Amino acid sequence: MNLLRKPGAIAVAALALAVLPSAAEAHDGSHPFVNCTDAYENGYANIPKGNEHYGTHLDRDGDGIGCDSPPAGFEPAADEEAATTDENGTDLAETGGEDITPYIAAGGMSVLLAGTALTVFMNRRRAAR
């Protein structure tokens, strides 16, 4: 049985491939802090996993909180929220996505659906001969 000749299997595979990019890590892997001393000097401590400043190299005990032992006299950054808003005060996504991202995703999905429909049509046409 060749699954690639089944329209349902093709649709499932196309859907799985369409979903894969959304499951990717948002951060590119380059972190602004080399170590916790650098983070503390810039006013960051207790950085939770998922935060753009988090890195596994900052989380020695593996509890999901980076740089969780700030030194005495530590002063937190003045306004961490300013880093997640633009010049108009509008909240930005942590991934840096733009307003056009949903339209690009919808366009990609429509191309996949059109390709699946074309494949089904061509298979039925061949079978009719």
Side-chain angles (χ1 to χ4, degrees):
M1 181 165 111
N2 189 350
L3 289 178
L4 292 178
R5 295 193 181 261
K6 302 287 182 185
I10 293 172
V12 169
L15 184 61
L17 289 173
V19 172
L20 276 177
S22 66
E25 183 85 15
H27 204 280
D28 66 356
S30 61
H31 302 281
F33 305 124
V34 177
N35 53 37
C36 286
T37 303
D38 188 24
Y40 297 144
E41 288 172 356
N42 287 288
Y44 290 88
N46 298 318
I47 306 168
K49 189 172 188 176
N51 183 298
E52 64 181 323
H53 300 296
Y54 177 85
T56 53
H57 65 287
L58 302 175
D59 187 7
R60 292 182 193 160
D61 54 4
D63 64 352
I65 306 290
C67 302
D68 51 0
S69 300
F74 169 75
E75 292 183 30
D79 186 16
E80 284 189 40
E81 189 172 325
T84 61
T85 59
D86 65 8
E87 62 276 357
N88 299 323
T90 306
D91 286 336
L92 300 174
E94 287 184 22
T95 59
E98 295 185 19
D99 292 338
I100 196 166
T101 304
Y103 298 110
I104 292 172
M109 185 57 114
S110 64
V111 168
L112 287 173
L113 290 175
T116 301
L118 181 63
T119 303
V120 169
F121 174 75
M122 295 302 288
N123 282 341
R124 286 186 181 172
R125 187 173 176 202
R126 280 189 207 144
R129 287 189 203 180

